[in-house]
Amino acid sequence: MELETIIGLEIHAQMNSKTKLFCSCDNDSFGKEANTNTCPICMAFPGALPVPNKTAIEKALIAALALNCTLKPHAKFDRKNYFYPDLPSGYQISQFDEPVSEHGHLEIEIDGRKKRVGITRLHVENDAGKLTHTGESTLLDFNRAGTPLMEIVSEPDMSSPEEAVAYAELVQKILRATGSSDCDMEKGMMRFDASVSLRPIGETKLYPRAEIKNLNSFRSLLAAIEYEVRRQKKMWESGEHLQREQTVGWDDERGTTELLRDKESAADYRYFPEPDLPPLIVTETEIEELRKKVPELPHHKKERFLRDYPLQAAEAEFFVNEPALANFYEEVAQNSDAKIASSFVATIFWSQLKERNETLETTPVKAADLAKLIRLVQAGTVSNNTAKSTVLSFMLETGDDPEVIIERENLGQVSDMSAIENICKEVIAANPKIVADVQGGQVKAMGALVGQVMKASQGKANPQIVNGLLEKLLLK
Ligand code: ZN
Ligand code: MN
């Protein structure tokens, strides 16, 4: 029996607003002592009332637009009731039938093949606290309780673990580009739930799925789906598939999934409209204003870079992953040669910055000056090697204008024919054996003479001029 794999993803991403979703607690608890970043609202004390965080909701709406979702003019919050020790109120404030947005999509690319993945909805909800199990006991930290989350639900449109990872990676890039979430997975800012089911090829109905909860790296997302596909394949092959939906957990160490519970359905949560919050109304004008805040997205930027600059796909990809450097590159490329600028900026300059533990914010080097340096190389004022090593080092040190540095440090390329000719003559006189070889037909031996002239000129002679002069002196 030939089976096909059907995967859908739910992504929870913490928003990077300054405060939590419904209270004024700091939204950044990193490094804070447990349970010190809380208040009566996020601890759900009786009588405490939630106040929606406008910035967080705006960030979610901008992210939704970037994911090609339609914003709903009328949305509302609902209580999702369940008991869990990390949820002090006994319910999560989420969105049920009127989320802020729906009907989005993304296009992923796998081995050059493009595929569209539908996005059912993006909604806003608050995060729960954090449980830490330590063998005998369980520790509770409510610092995270009330952190604003976006939940992004995909359609079951992915058909391999690799497609699921490609989709998740693209969502991460887009959320980062919109500035709505830092998506730092080491800090649990982005988590995945993957729904996996199989069905015989040719059938159109969906069979019960297993939902793998709380995967917090691309690596475990891939491994968990691969494992789940294998497990279900074996079931199908032995004549029985999943009979009802399951919620499973991924054990990273053992590399297996384990049944947590039969999957709950919407009815189990007894959703009802949150009585303490008014509906969320977004006008057409506000939607247009939000649309203006959607920045150029990584996949669009890559296309534009490949169209506007003479770059390889890998170079464009590199710039997309380093947005600040990409802006810097554009400024250099527009004021010099775009091709030379790419190797200067992406390779030489970038590695120098890293080596010096600097960033584009701390370095004194300005894009305009790097462009000028490239123009000086092209004009023959300074050699390519001297520009990339010595001149650039001085620029990184002082931030001075490259022209000033070349003048001050006497780094200019010598194009004065008579000066170079004199050096050539000295080198010829000192190397009768090599000269005889060259004149005897071993033209390759010329390289040794060029090298000596360059050395004698301390690297400042223009190598093309040296070559021409030696040829003239020896071969004609
Ligand atoms: Zn609070
Ligand atoms: Mn959720």
Side-chain angles (χ1 to χ4, degrees):
M1 183 193 307
E2 286 258 43
L3 295 162
E4 68 173 319
T5 302
I6 295 148
I7 302 163
L9 281 191
E10 279 177 21
I11 299 179
H12 284 92
Q14 291 183 347
M15 286 182 257
N16 56 9
S17 54
K18 265 197 83 58
T19 54
K20 292 184 181 180
L21 187 54
F22 297 120
C23 63
S24 57
C25 286
D26 192 346
N27 188 30
D28 181 8
S29 291
F30 191 69
K32 288 196 173 74
E33 200 183 322
N35 299 307
T36 57
N37 189 26
T38 58
C39 74
I41 295 173
C42 55
M43 290 304 291
F45 284 13
L49 291 171
V51 180
N53 178 339
K54 192 177 177 198
T55 311
I57 291 169
E58 265 191 22
K59 280 175 185 277
L61 298 180
I62 293 168
L65 288 172
L67 297 168
N68 301 304
C69 290
T70 306
L71 301 192
K72 285 177 74 98
H74 184 284
K76 68 174 170 62
F77 286 102
D78 299 278
R79 288 192 182 177
K80 181 181 182 181
N81 298 283
Y82 64 97
F83 172 78
Y84 216 63
D86 60 8
L87 192 71
S89 52
Y91 59 84
Q92 181 185 33
I93 300 182
S94 182
Q95 299 193 287
F96 180 48
D97 52 344
E98 291 190 81
V100 290
S101 68
E102 55 189 9
H103 304 315
H105 68 269
L106 284 181
E107 194 168 68
I108 55 169
E109 203 179 317
I110 296 264
D111 305 326
R113 191 175 47 82
K114 292 189 169 168
K115 180 166 186 182
R116 188 183 162 112
V117 177
I119 293 172
T120 317
R121 57 193 272 158
L122 177 152
H123 70 248
V124 177
E125 60 188 29
N126 57 0
D127 209 346
K130 202 177 157 148
L131 292 170
T132 308
H133 305 287
T134 62
E136 302 233 312
S137 59
T138 293
L139 302 172
L140 261 166
D141 178 7
F142 287 105
N143 283 352
R144 199 180 70 181
T147 287
L149 291 177
M150 292 174 272
E151 179 176 327
I152 301 158
V153 183
S154 86
E155 292 290 308
D157 285 347
M158 290 153 278
S159 43
S160 71
E162 291 75 20
E163 285 184 9
V165 172
Y167 166 79
E169 285 176 342
L170 184 55
V171 170
Q172 183 192 49
K173 276 187 196 166
I174 291 173
L175 296 184
R176 281 182 173 162
T178 58
S180 57
S181 173
D182 298 341
C183 296
D184 185 340
M185 297 206 276
E186 308 242 300
K187 294 183 186 164
M189 289 179 188
M190 193 184 193
R191 285 124 47 192
F192 313 112
D193 302 331
S195 284
V196 181
S197 67
L198 303 182
R199 76 175 163 209
I201 285 181
E203 287 192 31
T204 50
K205 80 168 201 185
L206 289 169
Y207 283 83
R209 61 198 164 126
E211 186 179 36
I212 317 165
K213 295 302 269 186
N214 260 324
L215 300 160
N216 48 22
S217 70
F218 294 124
R219 191 179 46 79
S220 48
L221 177 64
L222 184 77
I225 298 175
E226 281 175 344
Y227 174 83
E228 192 54 36
V229 170
R230 279 201 305 276
R231 178 177 84 96
Q232 291 185 28
K233 203 172 234 164
K234 273 191 203 140
M235 292 179 75
W236 273 95
E237 280 162 359
S238 67
E240 45 166 335
H241 52 78
L242 287 184
Q243 293 306 312
R244 64 168 77 103
E245 311 226 307
Q246 287 184 342
T247 298
V248 300
W250 170 245
D251 186 326
D252 230 341
E253 266 159 44
R254 292 172 46 200
T256 57
T257 56
E258 271 160 37
L259 182 67
L260 297 176
R261 53 186 185 264
D262 283 349
K263 190 168 163 39
E264 59 294 316
S265 66
D268 299 328
Y269 291 120
R270 299 293 189 269
Y271 281 98
F272 67 86
E274 166 60 56
D276 292 335
L277 290 169
L280 210 68
I281 313 288
V282 190
T283 65
E284 273 306 315
T285 329
E286 284 169 325
I287 293 176
E288 281 324 300
E289 284 307 308
L290 289 166
R291 212 175 279 287
K292 287 183 201 146
K293 294 186 185 169
V294 179
E296 182 180 39
L297 299 172
H299 45 304
H300 297 152
K301 188 175 206 153
K302 186 174 173 187
E303 282 164 24
R304 182 171 66 82
F305 267 47
L306 287 172
R307 193 177 59 231
D308 293 356
Y309 301 109
L311 299 174
Q312 307 284 323
E315 292 172 310
E317 184 76 33
F318 171 80
F319 282 125
V320 167
N321 291 328
E322 297 288 351
L325 191 70
N327 294 341
F328 189 90
Y329 165 71
E330 287 203 86
E331 205 180 329
V332 177
Q334 283 158 10
N335 294 294
S336 63
D337 178 282
K339 183 102 200 128
I340 303 177
S342 163
S343 86
F344 241 92
V345 173
T347 321
I348 318 286
F349 176 59
W350 190 238
S351 60
Q352 282 289 317
L353 277 188
K354 295 223 145 149
E355 214 163 279
R356 288 162 186 260
N357 263 325
E358 293 223 57
T359 65
L360 285 170
E361 273 155 28
T362 62
T363 182
V365 177
K366 292 180 281 296
D369 283 336
L370 212 53
K372 190 174 192 181
L373 179 59
I374 293 170
R375 294 199 306 270
L376 290 167
V377 172
Q378 288 184 287
T381 310
V382 63
S383 76
N384 192 32
N385 283 340
T386 310
K388 285 181 174 173
S389 54
T390 325
V391 183
L392 185 59
S393 297
F394 278 112
M395 288 170 75
L396 286 155
E397 215 56 64
T398 61
D400 287 345
D401 181 316
E403 209 165 10
V404 172
I405 294 170
I406 291 165
E407 180 73 29
R408 188 181 66 214
E409 307 294 330
N410 192 21
L411 295 167
Q413 182 160 254
V414 179
S415 300
D416 174 350
M417 296 292 248
S418 64
I420 302 177
E421 189 163 347
N422 284 336
I423 303 176
C424 287
K425 283 178 179 163
E426 283 165 27
V427 168
I428 287 171
N431 294 281
K433 168 90 178 57
I434 304 178
V435 169
D437 286 346
V438 173
Q439 287 172 332
Q442 296 184 42
V443 184
K444 274 189 185 163
M446 183 91 94
L449 296 177
V450 175
Q452 294 211 25
V453 175
M454 293 304 294
K455 200 175 161 196
S457 76
Q458 292 166 318
K460 289 188 285 180
N462 181 327
Q464 276 159 348
I465 294 178
V466 173
N467 243 311
L469 280 171
L470 286 172
E471 272 179 28
K472 192 184 83 181
L473 292 169
L474 295 177
L475 301 176
K476 285 176 188 160

